[in-house]
DNA sequence: TGAGGTTGGTCAGTCAGGTTGACCGTCGCT
DNA sequence: AGCGACGGTCAACCTGACTGACCAACCTCA
């Protein structure tokens, strides 16, 4: 009994990863349609979390996006090299720098937010409110269960 | 209006990725507890899909795990180098090889399946049946919507 | 029976999205 | 003035893949 691998659906973890990748692909596709073909899903972490006017410190960005500052630095480096953001010295703290959107970056951030919003709205419609809310709650619960016991 | 990045919850794609990572970490932790500290989450793709007795071809494994044969090969290479599987020639087709579990691999596969099962059961309990089912359905819908229009 | 397309496996190169560890300089408190 | 905490950076590595090219064996059918 139960000798062979005849799983109708893959394991949950795999399904989560695939879902992530599906949405990530939709994001790059959406951004490419809007004229930004050099943006990767990871860039959204900055665009969704940076303060549009004042800019935001790297570590604060990392905290908001729930990743390490080193990880965030890679993303910011990349965006800077593409002209979407620049690093300005923080007048209040000479250790710190503030990541600010350039004009190009402000447009991209707007498109990114709209694209993300569009994807989530589309997903909500496809799933129905009930399942969408349950999905959100479930993911919240999974992440906070063992993820970061803050 | 809506000037700053004051998102209460991260975007859905990010949440999916984090959930995946949470469960993946639980898997490696569970396997380590059971004495397998050299197994990565990706290895589960083989253990969950290989036929325990007869073994399974690489391309078939890849198909079941929904990845490319090249990707699957990396995983199988790794498992082979650790002594969990071996490649045997397929008597029916001299192009093909069959990936078979070694005795060590059979034990590991059992533990992997049990660990995955335990994690999913624990998740189901934590979420409640309703949300768990909704989660599964939602992920299914997301993946099949744009993922692989078969 | 042999030409041509399909399939199984492999090699090489690349990518995304991070991680940990070490280090340096500045901040701020005592 | 001393010292730990914090902000940023560099380097190395990891996971989980992907695409493209290639070869040999297989299958079909004219």
């Amino acid at each position: 009994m139960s000798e062979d691998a005849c799983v109708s659906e893959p394991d949950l973890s795999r399904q989560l990863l695939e879902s992530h990748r599906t949405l990530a692909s939709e994001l790059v596709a959406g951004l490419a349609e809007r004229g930004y073909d050099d943006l990767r899903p990871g860039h959204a972490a900055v665009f969704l979390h940076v303060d549009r006017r004042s800019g935001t410190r790297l570590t604060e960005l990392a905290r908001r996006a729930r990743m390490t500052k080193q990880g965030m630095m890679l993303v910011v480096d990349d965006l800077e090299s593409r002209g979407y953001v620049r690093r300005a010295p923080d007048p209040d703290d000479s250790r710190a720098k503030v990541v600010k959107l350039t004009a190009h970056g402000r447009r991209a951030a707007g498109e990114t937010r709209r694209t993300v919003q569009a994807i989530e709205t589309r997903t909500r419609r496809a799933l129905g409110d009930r399942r969408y809310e349950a999905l959100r709650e479930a993911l919240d619960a999974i992440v906070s269960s063992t993820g970061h016991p803050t």
Side-chain angles (χ1 to χ4, degrees), chain A:
Chain A
M1 56 298 258
S2 85
E3 188 222 304
D4 271 1
C6 48
V7 207
S8 60
E9 55 188 4
D11 63 305
L12 182 54
S13 175
R14 173 102 205 141
Q15 237 180 339
L16 287 164
L17 180 58
E18 288 182 19
S19 302
H20 159 75
R21 286 220 265 257
T22 300
L23 295 191
S25 301
E26 291 182 19
L27 177 58
V28 295
L31 287 172
E33 269 175 29
R34 288 164 155 91
Y36 297 91
D37 60 351
D38 60 343
L39 289 176
R40 289 180 286 111
H43 292 141
V46 173
F47 290 145
L48 295 179
H49 293 298
V50 71
D51 293 328
R52 295 213 230 190
R53 294 188 189 290
S54 47
T56 306
R57 286 186 193 172
L58 184 67
T59 42
E60 174 61 16
L61 275 179
R63 198 192 56 73
R64 290 184 190 169
R66 303 223 281 243
M67 44 191 287
T68 60
K69 56 183 182 175
Q70 295 95 322
M72 182 52 79
M73 221 190 42
L74 295 176
V75 180
V76 169
D77 281 351
D78 198 57
L79 283 177
E80 190 172 35
S81 77
R82 296 176 198 277
Y84 287 99
V85 303
R86 62 195 167 81
R87 285 167 160 99
D90 185 330
D92 298 342
D93 187 338
S94 61
R95 290 171 304 180
K97 295 171 189 175
V98 177
V99 176
K100 289 191 171 191
L101 294 171
T102 62
H104 187 42
R106 260 190 301 279
R107 286 190 293 272
E111 295 296 346
T112 300
R113 291 177 195 217
R114 273 187 286 281
T115 307
V116 168
Q117 196 56 51
I119 289 170
E120 302 201 355
T121 301
R122 187 176 353 128
T123 305
R124 179 190 280 272
R125 281 215 199 93
L127 261 49
D129 284 356
R130 188 192 75 87
R131 262 189 301 240
Y132 185 85
E133 297 297 347
L135 171 64
R136 284 289 202 174
E137 289 169 21
L139 296 178
D140 246 23
I142 290 171
V143 170
S144 55
S145 72
T146 331
H148 52 131
T150 306

